[in-house]
Amino acid sequence: MGSLSTLVAGLWLLNIVLDTGGQLAFKAAAGDEDAGDGLARWKYMASRPWLWLGVGCYVIEFLVWIAFLSLIPLSEGVLLGSINIVAIMIAGRFLFGEKLTRLRVAGILLVTLGVVIVGVGG
């Protein structure tokens, strides 16, 4: 992590895990074929653990994100936080069979390069 302290790097990694976990849990809740339509769908999702796991991840992520931003400049934090997009896209591919087109892979590589530059050069 070059110039990132151990605490900042740990908070950054925890943020990635929580954000990715939250997004994946929401996708699992929303993609359940047994959910039905309309209000019945929302009631069904509210009764399933995936929705609440996602909410829990987001609540904890919020606290981690605030702690992370208290230690580094906002411009650096937001750029480092963009790696969440990469983690979510890759996890979506493996867990939900979502497509990674050439443009998406190019985007993943560019975002990753940007994060590396900010993280190392910080």
Side-chain angles (χ1 to χ4, degrees), residues 23-47:
Q23 290 284 352
L24 295 173
F26 287 146
K27 176 67 175 179
D32 192 333
E33 295 176 7
D34 296 330
D37 292 321
L39 185 58
R41 178 178 196 80
W42 284 99
K43 286 181 179 179
Y44 180 83
M45 285 191 299
S47 71

Side-chain angles (χ1 to χ4, degrees), residues 37-92:
D37 292 321
L39 185 58
R41 178 178 196 80
W42 284 99
K43 286 181 179 179
Y44 180 83
M45 285 191 299
S47 71
R48 309 298 293 167
W50 289 118
L51 180 70
W52 300 108
L53 177 63
V55 169
C57 283
Y58 269 38
V59 168
I60 298 168
E61 181 204 4
F62 171 75
L63 299 173
V64 169
W65 183 247
I66 295 299
F68 177 70
L69 289 180
S70 74
L71 299 172
I72 63 170
L74 178 61
S75 59
E76 186 177 339
V78 170
L79 288 171
L80 289 171
S82 67
I83 199 69
N84 292 353
I85 296 166
V86 173
I88 292 164
M89 287 175 67
I90 292 170

